[in-house]
Amino acid sequence: MNPADSENGLSGRALWTVFAALMLGMFLAALDQTIVSTALPTIVGDLGGLDHLSWVVTSYLLAATVSTPIYGKLGDMYGRKPVFMAAILIFLAGSMLAGLSQSMDQLIGFRALQGVGAGGLMVGAQAIIADIVPPRDRGRYMGLIGSVFAVASVAGPLLGGFLVDSLSWRWVFYVNMPIGAVAVAIVALRLHLPKFRSPHRIDFLGAALLTGGVGSLVLLTTWGGNEYAWASATIIGLAITGVVLLALFVLQERRAAEPLVPLSLFRSSVFNVANAMGFTIGMAMFGAIVFIPLFLQLVYGASPTSSGLRLLPLMAGLLVAAVFSGRAISRIGRYKMFPIAGTATLVVGMYLLSRLGVGTAPWLASVYMLIVGVGIGLVMQVLVLVVQNDARPDEIGVATSTATFFRSVGGSFGVAIFGAIFASRLAAEIRQLPAGAAKHLAGGVHLTPEQAKQLPAQLHNEFLHAFANSLHGVFLWGMLMAIVPFGLAWLLKEVPLRTTLAKPVELSTEEAAAGATGAEALVAPAAR
């Protein structure tokens, strides 16, 4: 039994019951990042809107990204439990409405609503763990959270394919309802945290500037080279708008009495390095891995369900590495070696994925995916633990949400940037095919696996080679991106993990207005 268990009235079965509910919340949020990937061709066939296909994924990631800092602040203000429950309910409402969608525009809008809830699920689960488990013991719990994220991220395409094949693409969203209901019930009845209401305010202007700035840059990377030329007025305008809004956001945070993201957090080198690593790993992970199911379906002719099953090696590697690293950190109290080993492994895995081709044996592709999974599992959740251990008690919520925010922004940019790289490379490859092939390949990057199978035999083979060659560039860019966090991992300072819980101090309205932080005396992170 951990000391934290008794200190917070949670021990044994009660602790693990609550932890199971938190993992269910994380499972839902992570699952819906990937579950639609194998269902997208079917959704397009039913609803149309092929030109807006990428927004089914991007709208979710973008909404989850921009909502995370707000949830961190709300949790610090009103307590983790009510905010976490509200996030679950928002997510479930978005899921139900997405399943009822009658057009692609409706689906994109309701996916964004799902994303708003998902931002709170990811932040809330990790912040609640920070409230009930001290950093030294938190490693194994964060390892399990990381394993849940891993299972959901990789099982998403598998479950999505199964539901599409067996029921309907709408069940990709309906499946969230019973899981979410269980999580709500457990959190409502079994999670008991200290009740407090801190006198804080939400920086709504900062939230609007951040949303506009990040949204503009994601649109830039999504549309650039696809919808509009890179030198077009639209793309240049988005770039200027994004930079200006983010600059105004920084100015707003400097003058706001209650900043959405306290700039004091960035005085810590540990915080800066960990978040830079999270951003670049998010780009490499989400940006490249999203193409693996498409490769499996097109090149190997796998069904949606089979393509999900073929991702099991990636899931197994991530699961084992996350649990192993979490337990090891709790045992030895040190963490720096794991991000170094994880990012190095990820670089190797991305390079190996770039070697995938039409003639690659399926077992060899599985080995490559296993290596990528191990790399991600060794590093991803360790970064959240590092940030929480470094933060002041009254800033754990916003520090956790900021770490999740940077990873999500990286994922959003990665999906958009690597999608643009893939589309441009595939278009160039198709232009090199015989002139008569153009009329059959008008869909280009949007050509579905079923449409590809209908191509004449010779043209089908040429298209698969063009497709595989286009993916080489995506995974090579993923490898280059993974080199950045590998270099940063060596700069990550090893701060001793606390063995006790840091209790936030409730401030009076006058103290809060004056910027007093009574909790500062409790913890003074060594690296700050």
Side-chain angles (χ1 to χ4, degrees):
M1 182 188 303
N2 291 326
D5 299 348
S6 58
E7 289 176 12
N8 293 276
L10 291 176
S11 62
R13 182 179 299 177
L15 172 65
W16 284 103
T17 300
V18 169
F19 188 67
L22 300 180
M23 290 196 294
L24 284 176
M26 284 289 291
F27 181 80
L28 288 172
L31 185 72
D32 271 68
Q33 290 181 346
T34 58
I35 194 172
V36 299
S37 60
T38 45
L40 284 177
T42 307
I43 292 173
V44 169
D46 190 10
L47 298 181
L50 186 65
D51 53 335
H52 300 308
L53 180 68
S54 64
W55 276 101
V56 177
V57 176
T58 304
S59 63
Y60 179 89
L61 288 175
L62 180 58
T65 297
V66 299
S67 65
T68 50
I70 298 175
Y71 278 111
K73 176 64 74 173
L74 288 173
D76 289 339
M77 289 172 61
Y78 300 111
R80 317 281 184 227
K81 178 177 176 178
V83 173
F84 186 69
M85 290 186 64
I88 296 178
L89 295 176
I90 293 171
F91 180 86
L92 293 182
S95 298
M96 177 60 71
L97 292 170
L100 296 172
S101 299
Q102 299 301 310
S103 69
M104 186 62 79
D105 289 339
Q106 288 182 11
L107 179 60
I108 291 170
F110 295 139
R111 282 282 288 169
L113 181 62
Q114 266 191 305
V116 171
L121 293 179
M122 290 186 283
V123 171
Q126 295 174 105
I128 289 173
I129 293 172
D131 280 346
I132 63 177
V133 181
R136 177 62 184 265
D137 298 323
R138 201 178 301 155
R140 63 181 178 134
Y141 293 92
M142 297 304 289
L144 289 171
I145 284 287
S147 69
V148 168
F149 186 85
V151 171
S153 297
V154 183
L158 171 60
L159 181 58
F162 173 78
L163 292 172
V164 169
D165 289 343
S166 304
L167 297 170
S168 160
W169 65 264
R170 298 182 185 276
W171 278 93
V172 166
F173 305 108
Y174 294 153
V175 72
N176 295 324
M177 307 308 292
I179 301 174
V182 172
V184 168
I186 295 176
V187 170
L189 299 175
R190 303 301 297 271
L191 177 61
H192 304 290
L193 297 174
K195 295 182 179 179
F196 66 91
R197 180 181 175 121
S198 298
H200 294 299
R201 290 176 291 175
I202 295 289
D203 179 16
F204 289 107
L205 177 57
L209 292 170
L210 180 64
T211 301
V214 173
S216 297
L217 294 181
V218 170
L219 280 174
L220 181 152
T221 53
T222 302
W223 287 348
N226 281 324
E227 303 284 334
Y228 303 95
W230 285 106
S232 66
T234 300
I235 296 302
I236 294 174
L238 284 172
I240 295 173
T241 301
V243 171
V244 169
L245 289 178
L246 290 180
L248 291 175
F249 169 72
V250 172
L251 293 176
Q252 169 64 15
E253 297 307 275
R254 291 174 64 89
R255 60 180 290 274
E258 293 279 339
L260 190 67
V261 179
L263 298 183
S264 60
L265 290 172
F266 294 92
R267 296 172 187 162
S268 165
S269 64
V270 173
F271 182 85
N272 293 334
V273 171
N275 283 317
M277 290 179 63
F279 178 84
T280 48
I281 290 173
M283 287 190 69
M285 182 177 73
F286 289 112
I289 290 178
V290 73
F291 290 99
I292 294 179
L294 190 57
F295 173 86
L296 296 173
Q297 290 184 44
L298 274 171
V299 175
Y300 292 147
S303 67
T305 302
S306 178
S307 68
L309 285 171
R310 289 173 186 247
L311 286 170
L312 287 177
L314 196 154
M315 178 177 67
L318 214 161
L319 175 64
V320 172
V323 173
F324 164 76
S325 60
R327 287 184 174 276
I329 289 170
S330 290
R331 186 172 64 253
I332 66 178
R334 303 178 69 85
Y335 55 77
K336 183 173 181 175
M337 67 187 78
F338 297 101
I340 292 175
T343 50
T345 305
L346 183 59
V347 170
V348 173
M350 285 294 179
Y351 171 76
L352 293 174
L353 287 181
S354 74
R355 311 309 300 164
L356 289 174
V358 175
T360 303
W363 71 266
L364 194 55
S366 296
V367 172
Y368 296 168
M369 288 186 278
L370 174 68
I371 294 171
V372 171
V374 170
I376 297 171
L378 286 174
V379 63
M380 189 58 77
Q381 288 306 310
V382 177
L383 297 178
V384 178
L385 170 63
V386 169
V387 168
Q388 290 179 341
N389 182 64
D390 183 63
R392 291 202 314 254
D394 58 319
E395 291 180 342
I396 281 181
V398 71
T400 302
S401 66
T402 304
T404 305
F405 169 78
F406 276 105
R407 185 178 65 190
S408 297
V409 169
S412 299
F413 283 8
V415 169
I417 292 172
F418 290 167
I421 293 171
F422 175 65
S424 63
R425 285 180 62 90
L426 182 57
E429 291 282 342
I430 289 176
R431 284 196 296 268
Q432 296 177 17
L433 295 179
K439 63 179 181 180
H440 295 286
L441 300 175
V445 68
H446 300 302
L447 200 67
T448 67
E450 286 303 317
Q451 290 172 330
K453 290 178 182 178
Q454 303 303 317
L455 295 172
Q458 179 62 30
L459 182 57
H460 180 249
N461 184 60
E462 292 177 349
F463 172 72
L464 291 185
H465 279 88
F467 174 82
N469 289 338
S470 302
L471 273 186
H472 292 169
V474 172
F475 291 126
L476 282 175
W477 274 103
M479 181 196 74
L480 294 174
M481 189 60 61
I483 291 175
V484 176
F486 173 69
L488 290 171
W490 293 93
L491 303 177
L492 191 63
K493 291 184 179 179
E494 186 99 52
V495 178
L497 295 174
R498 298 194 302 266
T499 57
T500 58
L501 284 173
K503 302 291 186 181
V505 175
E506 246 184 271
L507 307 179
S508 67
T509 305
E510 292 77 12
E511 288 174 322
T517 51
E520 282 188 19
L522 292 177
V523 177
R528 198 173 281 281

